[in-house]
Amino acid sequence: MSDIIVYSVPGSPFTRAVQMGLEEKGAAYRVQALAPHEVKGEAYLRRHPFGRIPAVQHGDFELYETQAILRYLDDVFPEPALEPADPRAAARMNQIIGINDWYFFPKVAAVVVFQRIIGPALLGTTTDEAVVDAALPMGQVCIAELDRLLGRQPFLAGDRLSIADIMLAPQVDFFAATPEGQALLKGTRLEAWLERMNARPSMIATQRPEALRRAA
Ligand SMILES: N[C@@H](CCC(=O)N[C@@H](CS)C(=O)NCC(=O)O)C(=O)O
């Protein structure tokens, strides 16, 4: 079977989730790095008309949307399984993926991480404190709810690693590099979960570039 090509701008947490999935599966892949402006360029828009990363190519099969990619990987590389067989655990995994895609990434992590890390490090912008402040109430809800759903389990959807952990860990890790993320996570079970996730070879092998590791 041909190697998988992952198209990305280095540092993207959604791409990191796909790379983690590939690492957990032990599947061969390579990352095709794009410059930020290429993501909205004509050539890449033919691959991903919404101009987002990541996208993957597997032989003649092209796919985008991170959770679709991870579910595909779970089907073509069955071991270790990343989707629970138990209906309730599977529902929990899907719920948490939804929390990431609808609330945590767009309303919290993307906003705070851009203001505190990406903008200052890559674009030379200064933090708009009002924008950060406006994202914090939703940040509190997201972290409290993820912490509640995690409960005393080792992983977000139960006893085993699932796509929920793989999608959330890169996002929570990036958020934890900001002062607001650190403060919201402090003392939670989610903080301990992140530490456990960060010790996994799949997280260690997919670190962000140094410039994007912490807030300015
Ligand atoms: N729903 C998409 C979201 C992907 C996404 O938003 N990626 C961010 C980077 S982590 C991106 O492409 N940002 C570039 C932009 O918004 O122009 C997925 O699951 O893959």
Side-chain angles (χ1 to χ4, degrees), residues 138-150 184 188 190:
M138 179 58 86
Q140 278 165 1
V141 175
C142 287
I143 297 298
E145 184 58 1
L146 290 169
D147 193 52
R148 184 186 75 81
L149 291 170
L150 173 65
L184 283 177
T188 62
L190 203 60

Side-chain angles (χ1 to χ4, degrees), residues 106-120:
K107 294 180 195 292
V108 182
V111 177
V112 178
V113 165
F114 180 84
Q115 290 296 328
R116 290 275 183 232
I117 302 178
I118 297 174

Side-chain angles (χ1 to χ4, degrees), residues 9 11-15 18 36 39-40 44 48 50-55 64-69 100-101 105 167 171:
V9 176
S12 151
F14 279 103
T15 304
V18 167
V39 174
K40 305 290 186 224
Y44 185 73
H48 193 322
F50 300 97
R52 298 258 169 165
I53 46 173
Y64 61 81
E65 286 304 303
T66 300
Q67 60 159 305
I69 296 168
N100 181 65
D101 285 357
F105 171 72
M167 286 194 67
Q171 303 286 357

Side-chain angles (χ1 to χ4, degrees), residues 179-201:
E180 291 74 18
Q182 257 169 43
L184 283 177
L185 284 161
K186 197 170 168 42
T188 62
R189 288 177 290 228
L190 203 60
E191 187 185 39
W193 163 86
L194 180 61
E195 262 179 48
R196 295 194 298 277
M197 290 300 296
N198 272 330
R200 294 185 79 85

